[in-house]
Amino acid sequence: MKDDVFKDKLFKLVIPIALQQLMVALVGFTDAVMMGFLNQDSLSAVSLAGQVQFVFYLFVFATTSGVSILSAQYWGIKDRDTVEKILGIGLKIVTPISLLFTFMALVFPKLLMKCFTSDETLIALGADYLRSVSFSYLFLGISQIYLCIMKNCGHAGKCSLISSFSVILNILFNWLLIFGVGIFPRMEVSGAALATTISKAAELIWTIIVMLKKDNLKIRLKYIIHTEKVLMKDYLKYALPVLGNQLAWGMGFTMYSVILGHMGSDATAANSIANIIKNLVICVCQGVSSATAVILGAEMGKGNLETAKEYGSRLCRISLICGLVSGGVILCVIPFVPLFTSISATAQSYLRIMLVVCSYYTVGKAMNMTTIGGIFPSGGDSRFGFRCDTITMWCVTVPIGLIFAFLLKLPVMAVYIAINIDEIIKLPAVYKHYKKYSWLNNLTRADT
């Protein structure tokens, strides 16, 4: 009986979430293919400008993670009113952050690009992209909070449908606006950015329409303006370590792009494509990670700690299998990658080695996503990930990358291999922490 219940919960969450992640990764893939048909500089510039959205998304993900931790547990006991209060907290936090990134991309795009490269051509192209994409940050921030609530409250399929529609719209307008098809102007790099803005606006509109339907959870202004102190205290207790974790990991990952961005356009282009292929392949791993947080959070909210412990063990085994399969898939696609890219011979040689590195990286990534990103936060144990990622990236891989690239001036591939060992060296500490079971906690309060 428990096996059937577990499988039902798992597939109802993993399949739509994995599909959603796949669709998002397809945007990056089509961007790379279409930019590659223009020229390698356009591909590299869009890749580096995309790092601004990546940094922004770290704040959004940290906000949604805090929302997810609490909403999953309160939805487990069907406390609808408290879930709406948590939704209000998320919007109260994410809206000013979204406005800040919109302002910076609109007014200071060249300054942002100079953080990632010193190449004037890439800076100019990237600045055009950032100006055109700036308003998408505001749309994205608001819609993601509500979609997060939907996912945690039994509507993962609808959430996936909305996101998939947004992605399909993005890909369609990419084609129309980058190349100037039919009545549409040829906008190249700016066209890719405008396509993203249009798709995120459509995603937000559909999200609002869903919210307005009868019996769906509502965005209530009173809960955005006035927040219960106890609930906000709980939110900050669990969300701030996640924010620290996301910033430690995300800024470290961004530093990898900065390092490679200063090693030339060939390294930047190859790294961009390697990341896109990796993101396409690990979508199922991401689905397992997201499903883990929802499944375990609901069980712990009900007080079923032993069930949550058993589910956690199963999900770890599933994530290991997914990671191994994903690594194998990456190795299998290496011979076919040149068919979809038009980068230089040097960048092609870099890319082949990068994909081999990605094949082992994904195994560690799958395990760490499920534990650090799913199991631990589901029970409020969000501090470990912050400590783990800070030490691993900022005390080991980022310093090694900087030393290898700028002091020792080693080849690009030596630098790339050095900065992609972080997920592997975290595994022993992650496993040891998992076995302590300090993450098994019921976070709900009877007085909310």
Side-chain angles (χ1 to χ4, degrees):
M1 183 65 177
K2 281 187 177 180
D3 285 346
D4 291 340
V5 171
F6 174 76
K7 290 174 184 176
D8 184 58
K9 290 178 179 178
L10 183 65
F11 285 112
K12 281 184 177 179
L13 286 166
V14 169
I15 292 174
I17 294 173
L19 177 62
Q20 179 184 352
Q21 295 297 330
L22 174 63
M23 297 299 287
V24 171
L26 279 174
V27 173
F29 176 74
T30 56
D31 272 354
V33 171
M34 294 180 190
M35 289 296 108
F37 279 119
L38 292 177
N39 53 66
Q40 186 168 301
D41 283 341
S42 294
L43 170 61
S44 298
V46 171
S47 171
L48 292 175
Q51 293 301 308
V52 176
Q53 179 168 322
F54 177 74
V55 174
F56 166 66
Y57 200 76
L58 296 177
F59 288 93
V60 175
F61 184 82
T63 307
T64 57
S65 294
V67 168
S68 182
I69 290 168
L70 292 176
S71 64
Q73 294 223 0
Y74 279 104
W75 190 254
I77 58 174
K78 302 302 179 185
D79 188 344
R80 182 190 181 96
D81 191 54
T82 300
V83 173
E84 289 186 344
K85 292 176 183 177
I86 295 166
L87 171 60
I89 291 173
L91 289 170
K92 188 173 188 174
I93 292 172
V94 83
T95 303
I97 294 173
S98 302
L99 287 170
L100 175 62
F101 272 85
T102 296
F103 174 78
M104 290 295 294
L106 188 63
V107 180
F108 303 112
K110 288 188 176 181
L111 180 62
L112 292 175
M113 284 301 300
K114 286 179 180 179
C115 297
F116 300 101
T117 182
S118 55
D119 188 310
E120 291 298 328
T121 300
L122 299 186
I123 290 172
L125 288 170
D128 288 341
Y129 180 91
L130 287 174
R131 274 190 291 266
S132 298
V133 85
S134 57
F135 283 99
S136 72
Y137 301 148
L138 179 60
F139 305 147
L140 175 68
I142 297 171
S143 65
Q144 285 303 303
I145 295 296
Y146 193 83
L147 291 175
C148 170
I149 288 287
M150 288 177 61
K151 179 182 69 178
N152 283 279
C153 298
H155 299 289
K158 176 72 72 153
C159 177
S160 175
L161 180 63
I162 294 172
S163 296
S164 298
F165 167 76
S166 171
V167 167
I168 293 170
L169 203 62
N170 195 337
I171 294 171
L172 173 63
F173 276 97
N174 266 349
W175 174 61
L176 294 173
L177 295 172
I178 290 173
F179 300 111
V181 179
I183 62 172
F184 294 90
R186 182 183 175 93
M187 300 177 66
E188 300 189 352
V189 168
S190 296
L194 184 56
T196 299
T197 303
I198 292 170
S199 68
K200 294 307 173 187
E203 180 181 85
L204 178 58
I205 291 169
W206 193 349
T207 301
I208 292 171
I209 291 172
V210 169
M211 185 267 295
L212 291 174
K213 288 186 177 180
K214 185 180 179 181
D215 296 330
N216 285 346
L217 291 162
K218 299 293 188 289
I219 296 173
R220 302 191 187 279
L221 188 60
K222 63 180 180 179
Y223 291 152
I224 298 175
I225 298 173
H226 303 291
T227 305
E228 289 186 6
K229 291 183 179 180
V230 173
L231 201 57
M232 177 60 88
K233 183 179 179 181
D234 282 349
Y235 178 87
L236 294 176
K237 178 180 178 181
Y238 304 120
L240 286 180
V242 176
L243 175 59
N245 183 15
Q246 287 301 307
L247 291 179
W249 174 81
M251 296 305 293
F253 193 81
T254 301
M255 279 299 298
Y256 299 164
S257 295
V258 171
I259 292 169
L260 293 170
H262 284 82
M263 298 186 78
S265 180
D266 288 328
T268 302
N271 181 53
S272 170
I273 296 171
N275 283 333
I276 289 166
I277 293 172
K278 180 171 62 182
N279 290 336
L280 279 169
V281 172
I282 67 170
C283 60
V284 175
C285 303
Q286 292 171 319
V288 172
S289 173
S290 296
T292 296
V294 177
I295 292 171
L296 298 190
E299 292 300 324
M300 285 185 274
K302 297 173 186 175
N304 300 333
L305 300 187
E306 284 303 314
T307 302
K309 183 178 179 181
E310 170 61 22
Y311 284 0
S313 177
R314 295 183 190 184
L315 288 159
C316 281
R317 293 194 294 270
I318 291 169
S319 67
L320 175 60
I321 294 169
C322 289
L324 290 169
V325 172
S326 298
V329 170
I330 290 176
L331 292 176
C332 291
V333 303
I334 291 175
F336 304 100
V337 171
L339 300 176
F340 301 97
T341 58
S342 56
I343 54 179
S344 69
T346 301
Q348 290 276 11
S349 66
Y350 289 162
L351 179 58
R352 284 191 291 271
I353 300 173
M354 287 179 176
L355 290 175
V356 173
V357 174
C358 287
S359 69
Y360 73 74
Y361 177 93
T362 54
V363 179
K365 181 65 175 175
M367 292 296 295
N368 291 327
M369 278 196 299
T370 298
T371 48
I372 296 177
I375 293 175
F376 299 161
S378 67
D381 184 9
S382 49
R383 290 188 177 87
F384 172 80
F386 171 56
R387 295 195 300 268
C388 185
D389 283 329
T390 300
I391 293 170
T392 302
M393 302 190 84
W394 291 99
C395 298
V396 183
T397 52
V398 170
I400 288 175
L402 292 170
I403 292 169
F404 278 22
F406 303 119
L407 291 182
L408 301 180
K409 299 187 182 301
L410 295 181
V412 169
M413 283 300 94
V415 176
Y416 186 82
I417 292 170
I419 61 180
N420 278 277
I421 60 172
D422 56 305
E423 297 293 349
I424 302 300
I425 63 178
K426 283 191 290 193
L427 286 174
V430 170
Y431 177 76
K432 182 178 179 181
H433 188 77
Y434 168 81
K435 297 299 288 185
K436 291 179 181 179
Y437 297 111
S438 57
W439 49 270
L440 281 170
N441 301 294
N442 184 342
L443 308 178
T444 59
R445 292 176 181 267
D447 56 348
T448 54

